[in-house]
Amino acid sequence: MPMPSWVDCAMATALFWARRTKCKHHQVGCCIISPDGELLGEGYNGPVRSSQHCIDPEVGCAKTDGVGPDRVKMRCRGTHAEINAITRASAHAGSLKGAYLVSTVEPCFDCTKAAINAGIARIYYMQPYTRVADDDPHTSEHENAIALCQEVGVAHVQWRPSGDFIKTLQETVGHVGQFAMPEVGTNETTESQGRGEG
């Protein structure tokens, strides 16, 4: 069986990171890797650091449930997976010049701009971003992102899983089941499950 590429490995990691999100609308994971496969940072879409998750009953989704006693509808409180991954990677690795961004969903136009400004050289995504641009009902953010990447020379690639990737992922998950897992319980250091990234 062929060895999975670094991008394949990063996409598998991003798929697991997407499982951390508590957003009821979108589950997105993202990894930043160096060209030689070093994992520099990762992220998922969710509220800002130390903020409550939107699925908490007293908080709710700002876009669909509204906020405050009058439940006024507002913009999403969450941060996109790509911004969280760029922020974490920058904090740990410093310069991201030449790095690859690997996301389960195509970055929106704003996240594409952030990736370019961070020095990302290649953007890989699995699913296209489908929201229509606010200022033009005929132009999608996908088209805007492609045009911008072409203008500045950043690769913008829709990643497609091969049969080998799917088989490897299934075998890996199955292989994990062969390990003797510790008894279910609490770890010495427990992480907060009710708060955002960080």
Side-chain angles (χ1 to χ4, degrees):
M1 182 180 308
M3 181 183 293
S5 71
W6 290 123
V7 174
D8 289 346
C9 293
M11 190 63 77
T13 304
L15 284 164
F16 279 101
W17 272 84
R19 297 300 302 245
R20 284 191 57 85
T21 185
K22 302 295 185 203
C23 177
K24 61 184 182 181
H25 303 294
H26 304 286
Q27 291 75 44
V28 183
C30 180
C31 290
I32 310 288
I33 61 170
S34 68
D36 61 356
E38 181 183 359
L39 182 61
L40 304 176
E42 58 288 302
Y44 58 94
N45 58 309
V48 297
R49 186 183 299 268
S50 300
S51 179
Q52 290 181 301
H53 286 291
C54 305
I55 62 165
D56 293 343
E58 66 274 13
V59 179
C61 173
K63 286 166 66 172
T64 59
D65 304 328
V67 295
D70 297 329
R71 297 317 243 177
V72 177
K73 293 187 179 168
M74 300 176 66
R75 289 188 63 184
C76 175
R77 298 169 55 251
T79 305
H80 286 191
E82 299 88 347
I83 297 298
N84 281 328
I86 290 168
T87 302
R88 288 171 66 98
S90 297
H92 299 299
S95 173
L96 302 183
K97 185 171 177 140
Y100 300 169
L101 182 147
V102 181
S103 183
T104 58
V105 176
E106 178 183 24
C108 72
F109 191 52
D110 286 337
C111 287
T112 299
K113 291 185 286 185
I116 291 168
N117 282 342
I120 297 293
R122 299 181 72 82
I123 294 173
Y124 293 91
Y125 64 94
M126 187 164 48
Q127 297 175 335
Y129 191 92
T130 55
R131 187 175 73 120
V132 173
D134 294 330
D135 58 345
D136 184 351
H138 304 294
T139 304
S140 70
E141 296 221 1
H142 168 75
E143 292 164 340
N144 288 334
I146 288 175
L148 184 59
C149 286
Q150 287 174 343
E151 177 189 337
V152 299
V154 168
H156 186 270
V157 181
Q158 184 170 11
W159 174 89
R160 299 192 186 276
S162 66
D164 288 334
F165 174 81
I166 306 273
K167 186 175 179 188
T168 301
L169 192 58
Q170 289 170 337
E171 288 177 355
T172 302
V173 172
H175 181 67
V176 169
Q178 297 174 13
F179 287 94
M181 292 292 154
E183 187 175 322
V184 175
T186 27
N187 296 321
E188 274 185 41
T189 308
T190 57
E191 62 176 293
S192 170
Q193 295 297 316
R195 300 291 173 178
E197 283 244 334

